């Protein structure tokens, strides 16, 4: 077939396709074609006016009830005039470290003020996330002067979603309140005069006490435990960890208007071994029991849910930092076996089956110290005078979110089929470990004893605490107060087990627990033969 003929055929096919595609065919009957029907329907559709739809009714958003903050005045009587007697003498000291170290300083300072017949210049309680450790006198004094929020009033008005300017970065990491926030101060006034002050500078003394620099005698410490004060000159009690022995008569002979110490921290640093002073010490300790209404209400609520006063066993397990983190598994294992011995009659073989991690739990976490110092950028041989260690306090917004997510645990202890009724002993676990129910370190406690409670089980008890806010700087107090409620609850048990060497556990054991169960606070022995501290 020639090329010409092929071209004619192809052209004819193309022409036929064009005709069939673009030229409409004639209707074959009086009925409209399918295409016409579609076109007609489209014309009618365009002519239809859509009906007017009613306006949508807005669905109201679920109202989130945000309770107002509860204001706490951090500097009451700030401008109260001080009337200085002609022969009045004063005693001052420098606070440092966490709450319980400051509490021990408070106790020692009141003992000294009484012994020396001096008026105590009382600093506030510093609640800080970046806890300032012991420092030599001059450096501690400088650091406390820098612990100020003057000129930073704008920081509290910056929304949390906005970046903070440099001067506000540490604004919410600390605050201060007077000791009267925690304790009833009238009990202290029976034993020593005191003036509450919020400015720890020497200039404040010059202006308010009407003195000059020559009127101040400084006892500047160069080690954390420079001296121990003896009220009984014939006492045989050794100095222990303290460096020097000083009889109280030495301080009584100082003539200056102001006797200014650095740190006065240390349990039984100021001895009370005469009968008169032992009674004074007992009275001071009876006054160092939390009386804050918000702490008491939260505590009473939880105690009533777990058996009432003396209706459970209380534990305080500190494992969050320092030496306590290194020995965390040992601490928990000791506590576990103490509970087993006291409240069950399990045989050795039965205990071994339950406590299958016992051998591993007797080992210290040797990596902790290395990791911590590496994080701080320091070597393990860092001297005592070092930068503060960060204590993690969750922001109060985060704390509130965490509380909302916690589902209270409902326990029916009566259904437990344990070997003895001891298994059913309600136990309250106070700890600095977050989310203890999910923490594998506590697994054997929860596995063996079905009635272990933690503060997370009672989120309603903390409703008021999360609303407490210092008026002056706007800092919320919940993250500092929740551990105190934890301890107060544990102290109401018929039995209390604490963490060795923890000042917090010691406070519960020596002060809170005896008073809450109707007994006397614990003191060291009275007499000249010495006593264990």
């Amino acid at each position: 077939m020639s090329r010409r003929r092929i071209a004619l055929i192809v052209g004819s096919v193309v022409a036929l396709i064009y005709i069939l595609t673009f030229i409409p065919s004639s209707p074959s009957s009086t009925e409209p074609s399918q295409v016409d029907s579609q076109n007609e329907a489209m014309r009618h559709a365009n002519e239809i006016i859509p009906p007017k739809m009613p306006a949508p009714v807005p669905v109201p958003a679920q109202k989130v009830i945000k309770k107002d903050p509860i204001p706490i005045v951090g500097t009451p009587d700030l401008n109260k005039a001080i009337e200085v007697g002609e022969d009045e003498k004063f005693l001052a000291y420098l606070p440092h470290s966490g709450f319980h170290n400051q509490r021990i300083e408070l106790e020692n300072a009141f003992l000294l003020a009484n012994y020396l017949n001096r008026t105590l210049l009382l600093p506030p309680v510093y609640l800080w996330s970046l806890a300032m450790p012991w420092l030599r006198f001059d450096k501690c004094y400088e650091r406390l002067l820098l612990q100020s929020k003057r000129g930073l009033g704008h920081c509290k008005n910056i929304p949390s979603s906005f970046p903070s300017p440099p001067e506000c970065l540490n604004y919410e990491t600390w605050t201060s309140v007077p000791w009267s926030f925690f304790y009833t101060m009238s009990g202290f006034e029976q034993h020593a005069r005191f003036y509450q002050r919020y400015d720890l500078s020497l200039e404040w003394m010059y202006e308010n006490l009407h003195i000059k620099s020559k009127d101040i005698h400084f006892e500047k410490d160069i080690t954390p435990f420079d001296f121990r004060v003896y009220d009984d000159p014939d006492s045989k009690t050794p100095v222990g960890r303290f460096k020097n022995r000083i009889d109280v008569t030495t301080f009584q002979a100082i003539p200056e208007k102001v006797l200014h110490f650095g740190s006065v921290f240390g349990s039984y640093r100021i001895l009370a071994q005469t009968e008169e002073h032992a009674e004074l010490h007992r009275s001071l300790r009876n006054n160092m029991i939390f009386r804050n209404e918000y702490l008491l209400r939260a505590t009473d609520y939880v105690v009533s849910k777990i058996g009432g006063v003396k209706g459970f066993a209380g534990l305080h397990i500190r494992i969050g930092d320092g030496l306590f983190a290194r020995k965390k598994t040992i601490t928990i294992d000791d506590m576990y076996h103490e509970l087993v011995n006291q409240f069950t009659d399990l045989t050795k073989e039965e205990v071994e089956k339950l406590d299958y991690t016992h051998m591993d739990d007797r080992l210290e976490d040797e990596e902790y110290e290395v990791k911590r110092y590496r994080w701080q950028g320091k070597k393990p041989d860092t001297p005592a005078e070092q930068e503060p260690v960060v204590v993690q306090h969750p922001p109060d917004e985060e704390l509130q979110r965490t509380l909302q997510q916690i589902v209270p645990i409902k326990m029916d202890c009566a259904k437990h089929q344990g070997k003895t009724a001891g298994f059913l002993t309600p136990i309250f676990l106070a700890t600095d470990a977050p989310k203890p129910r999910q923490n594998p370190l506590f697994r054997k406690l929860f596995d063996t004893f079905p009635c272990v409670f933690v503060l997370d089980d009672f989120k309603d008890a903390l409703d008021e605490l999360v609303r407490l806010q210092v008026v002056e700087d706007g800092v919320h107090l919940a993250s500092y107060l929740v551990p105190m409620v934890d301890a107060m609850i544990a102290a109401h048990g018929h039995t209390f087990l604490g963490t060795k060497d923890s000042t917090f556990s010691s406070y519960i054991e020596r002060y809170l627990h005896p008073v809450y169960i109707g007994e006397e606070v614990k003191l060291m022995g009275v007499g000249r033969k010495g006593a264990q501290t």
Side-chain angles (χ1 to χ4, degrees):
M1 186 179 292
S2 66
R3 291 182 178 178
R4 184 176 180 181
R5 190 171 181 179
I6 293 173
L8 289 173
I9 294 173
V10 171
S12 299
V13 171
V14 170
L16 181 61
I17 293 173
Y18 176 82
I19 292 171
L20 294 175
T21 304
F22 296 101
I23 299 177
S25 59
S26 300
S28 57
S29 66
T30 58
E31 296 292 329
S33 68
Q34 183 178 1
V35 174
D36 287 342
S37 299
Q38 293 175 348
N39 292 338
E40 189 71 17
M42 290 177 64
R43 283 195 296 271
H44 283 290
N46 292 333
E47 293 174 358
I48 294 175
I49 300 175
K52 187 175 181 181
M53 301 296 292
V57 178
V59 179
Q62 186 175 1
K63 188 176 182 180
V64 178
I65 300 176
K66 186 176 182 180
K67 298 181 180 178
D68 294 333
I70 299 175
I72 300 298
V73 179
T75 55
D77 303 327
L78 177 63
N79 300 315
K80 183 179 180 180
I82 296 178
E83 297 180 3
V84 180
E86 183 178 351
D87 299 324
E88 189 172 10
K89 293 183 178 181
F90 301 91
L91 184 147
Y93 71 94
L94 301 178
H96 63 85
S97 303
F99 174 85
H100 289 284
N101 287 24
Q102 293 179 66
R103 174 189 53 76
I104 293 171
E105 284 196 278
L106 175 71
E107 179 179 305
N108 288 336
F110 267 109
L111 284 172
L112 268 179
N114 177 276
Y115 294 175
L116 306 179
N117 193 26
R118 288 177 176 266
T119 299
L120 178 61
L121 301 176
L122 187 61
V125 189
Y126 288 95
L127 303 173
W128 37 36
S129 299
L130 298 172
M132 188 185 80
W134 172 87
L135 299 169
R136 295 185 180 185
F137 184 99
D138 292 330
K139 192 167 184 179
C140 186
Y141 174 75
E142 293 173 2
R143 190 73 70 84
L144 286 169
L145 290 189
L146 294 174
Q147 204 76 26
S148 172
K149 294 185 177 180
R150 292 175 181 170
L152 299 178
H154 61 286
C155 295
K156 67 179 180 180
N157 299 321
I158 299 175
S160 58
S161 58
F162 281 59
S164 296
E167 71 272 16
C168 298
L169 291 178
N170 294 323
Y171 184 83
E172 294 188 353
T173 63
W174 71 276
T175 189
S176 64
V177 294
W179 283 104
S180 58
F181 178 76
F182 295 102
Y183 303 132
T184 302
M185 300 306 293
S186 58
F188 296 96
E189 290 177 324
Q190 299 173 10
H191 306 296
R193 301 180 304 278
F194 69 90
Y195 291 133
Q196 178 71 62
R197 65 167 176 157
Y198 303 96
D199 184 341
L200 305 189
S201 68
L202 297 179
E203 286 71 23
W204 181 92
M205 292 187 188
Y206 300 152
E207 180 180 351
N208 290 273
L209 305 182
H210 313 297
I211 62 173
K212 298 181 180 180
S213 58
K214 65 181 179 62
D215 297 318
I216 304 177
H217 175 90
F218 293 99
E219 283 289 332
K220 296 188 176 183
D221 48 341
I222 58 175
T223 68
F225 303 104
D226 257 9
F227 60 86
R228 187 176 215 179
V229 178
Y230 287 72
D231 65 321
D232 184 348
D234 298 324
S235 173
K236 305 301 181 183
T237 301
V239 293
R241 60 179 172 175
F242 299 94
K243 187 176 180 182
N244 300 302
R245 169 178 177 147
I246 298 180
D247 288 339
V248 71
T249 53
T250 302
F251 289 138
Q252 288 172 341
I254 293 174
E256 279 80 4
K257 192 83 169 175
V258 176
L259 174 55
H260 201 318
F261 292 93
S263 169
V264 290
F265 167 72
S267 297
Y268 300 114
R269 182 176 193 149
I270 313 301
L271 295 180
Q273 294 185 302
T274 67
E275 291 187 9
E276 177 186 357
H277 290 162
E279 189 57 37
L280 163 68
H281 198 191
R282 187 184 308 280
S283 178
L284 287 175
R285 286 198 166 183
N286 279 325
N287 281 286
M288 300 188 80
I289 306 299
F290 290 131
R291 306 295 184 188
N292 179 277
E293 59 177 311
Y294 304 105
L295 297 178
L296 291 174
R297 274 199 291 270
T299 299
D300 291 344
Y301 175 84
V302 177
V303 169
S304 69
K305 299 290 185 181
I306 58 176
V309 178
K310 301 175 72 172
F312 58 95
L315 313 181
H316 179 253
I317 300 181
R318 180 178 176 183
I319 60 174
D321 61 337
L323 183 65
F324 305 105
R326 240 182 114 84
K327 295 185 175 183
K328 56 182 179 288
T329 56
I330 298 175
T331 299
I332 295 172
D333 190 64
D334 287 342
M335 204 85 68
Y336 173 80
H337 284 276
E338 186 67 27
L339 289 171
V340 168
N341 292 338
Q342 287 197 38
F343 301 114
T344 75
D345 58 358
L346 291 171
T347 64
K348 181 180 178 181
E349 291 73 21
E350 290 171 327
V351 173
E352 288 176 352
K353 290 181 181 179
L354 288 169
D355 186 15
Y356 51 86
T357 62
H358 174 69
M359 297 305 296
D360 291 336
D361 291 343
R362 303 312 299 175
L363 303 176
E364 291 187 10
D365 182 0
E366 296 181 355
E367 295 296 320
Y368 174 79
E369 188 172 2
V370 175
K371 291 177 182 176
R372 185 181 64 147
Y373 279 111
R374 185 179 298 134
W375 174 67
Q376 292 181 333
K378 298 179 183 296
K379 296 180 180 180
D381 58 353
T382 302
E385 192 171 301
Q386 57 179 291
E387 292 299 313
V389 177
V390 175
V391 179
Q392 297 293 345
H393 285 285
D396 286 275
E397 291 182 2
E398 179 184 336
L399 179 62
Q400 292 188 47
R401 286 196 298 271
T402 301
L403 290 174
Q404 292 172 358
Q405 294 170 0
I406 292 172
V407 178
I409 302 297
K410 295 182 179 180
M411 296 184 178
D412 189 354
C413 300
K415 292 183 179 179
H416 182 67
Q417 300 298 321
K419 181 174 181 179
T420 69
F423 279 101
L424 307 182
T425 299
I427 297 170
F428 184 82
L429 168 61
T431 180
D432 58 352
K435 299 182 179 179
R437 284 199 178 279
Q438 286 76 49
N439 193 322
L441 291 172
F442 299 110
R443 183 174 300 161
K444 61 185 178 185
L445 274 174
F446 290 110
D447 286 349
T448 303
F449 298 94
C451 299
V452 179
F453 297 90
V454 295
L455 191 54
D456 287 352
D457 301 333
F458 308 97
K459 65 174 184 177
D460 292 344
L462 306 179
D463 284 349
E464 283 189 317
L465 293 187
V466 299
R467 296 164 54 201
L468 297 179
Q469 184 179 28
V470 178
V471 172
E472 288 81 356
D473 59 16
V475 173
H476 290 269
L477 294 176
S479 58
Y480 304 102
L481 302 184
V482 167
M484 298 180 185
V485 172
D486 218 11
M488 292 169 69
I489 297 167
H492 280 79
H494 54 70
T495 301
F496 173 74
L497 303 176
T499 301
K500 183 181 178 182
D501 298 326
S502 166
T503 54
F504 206 164
S505 286
S506 296
Y507 178 57
I508 303 170
E509 180 182 5
R510 297 173 181 173
Y511 300 70
L512 300 183
H513 182 238
V515 171
Y516 288 161
I517 64 173
E519 298 178 0
E520 290 285 343
V521 293
K522 294 182 179 179
L523 301 176
M524 70 181 298
V526 178
R528 300 175 183 177
K529 295 182 180 180
Q532 297 294 322
T533 60

